[in-house]
Amino acid sequence: MKAILYSSLIALTAGAAAAQDWSGPYAGIQAGVNNNGSWEHFFTGDTVPFNTGDYDTGSSYGGFAGVNFQSGSLVYGGEIAFTKNDFRFATYPDEGIDNALRVSGRAGYAFGNSLAYAHVGFARTGYMVPDPTYNLTGVAYGVGIDHMFTDKIFGGAAVTFWDVSGPLHGGTVDTEHNWTTIDLRIGYKF
């Protein structure tokens, strides 16, 4: 029994020691698709929407930067990401999400040359109507996996769920928007 326990501890320690070093600052670019989106408009103070709808599937592209800290296989840190979006209402093609900013905390597990992580944080988006663009705020959260191809270059994929809201038209209307973004990422670790 002791031999099995010692062998397991040695294997776990060796696995943690073999994990890639993800610590330090990084930056990169991302491109993806926005889908599964919906929106609702409410008269301020009401709980029943007067108008609802879905988004057409759209694309996004942008950049990200962050810093990781690592303790054994545990990796944690923060990231900021900005994307330009082509994500419009199905019924009103002149309206939609124009841009999105995400500031997130991240925590993950490093194994081999890969890092699986979850993120959650503040979201701000530009909701575009023909004129003007309104700022909506809320939360963005999701999961991802990155793989280190060299000591400095990594790539991966992430899924982010967005939930933002805010006032429109001088505060007479409140709006809520939800959608999912699937991104491919490539980055450089400094």
Side-chain angles (χ1 to χ4, degrees):
M1 182 68 172
K2 285 183 183 179
I4 293 172
L5 179 61
Y6 290 136
S7 298
S8 298
L9 288 174
I10 291 169
L12 286 173
T13 304
Q20 174 72 38
D21 179 14
W22 290 89
S23 61
Y26 62 90
I29 57 174
Q30 62 191 26
V33 63
N34 301 311
N35 60 19
N36 296 328
S38 65
W39 55 272
E40 297 177 324
H41 292 321
F42 301 83
F43 289 116
T44 301
D46 286 350
T47 57
V48 177
F50 69 86
N51 199 0
T52 64
D54 296 320
Y55 281 102
D56 281 335
T57 298
S59 60
S60 65
Y61 59 92
F64 60 90
V67 63
N68 285 324
F69 303 94
Q70 188 164 350
S71 176
S73 292
L74 176 64
V75 179
Y76 54 93
E79 182 175 285
I80 185 169
F82 180 82
T83 58
K84 184 73 174 155
N85 297 285
D86 179 19
F87 196 37
R88 305 289 178 245
F89 290 175
T91 51
Y92 306 106
D94 291 338
E95 297 185 27
I97 300 299
D98 182 49
N99 57 64
L101 173 71
R102 176 178 54 82
V103 180
S104 300
R106 294 176 12 133
Y109 182 78
F111 56 99
N113 288 340
S114 297
L115 170 65
Y117 62 90
H119 65 87
V120 63
F122 170 78
R124 188 199 66 74
T125 63
Y127 167 55
M128 182 185 70
V129 292
D131 188 29
T133 296
Y134 295 95
N135 290 324
L136 308 179
T137 59
V139 65
Y141 56 94
V143 295
I145 189 160
D146 287 338
H147 183 80
M148 195 68 76
F149 298 113
T150 71
D151 287 343
K152 300 288 183 184
I153 304 216
F154 66 91
V159 176
T160 303
F161 303 95
W162 299 82
D163 185 2
V164 297
S165 61
L168 304 176
H169 308 298
T172 60
V173 174
D174 290 326
T175 187
E176 296 179 2
H177 299 256
N178 304 283
W179 73 94
T180 305
T181 303
I182 302 169
D183 287 312
L184 295 179
R185 308 159 35 104
I186 188 160
Y188 184 84
K189 184 172 96 69
F190 298 98

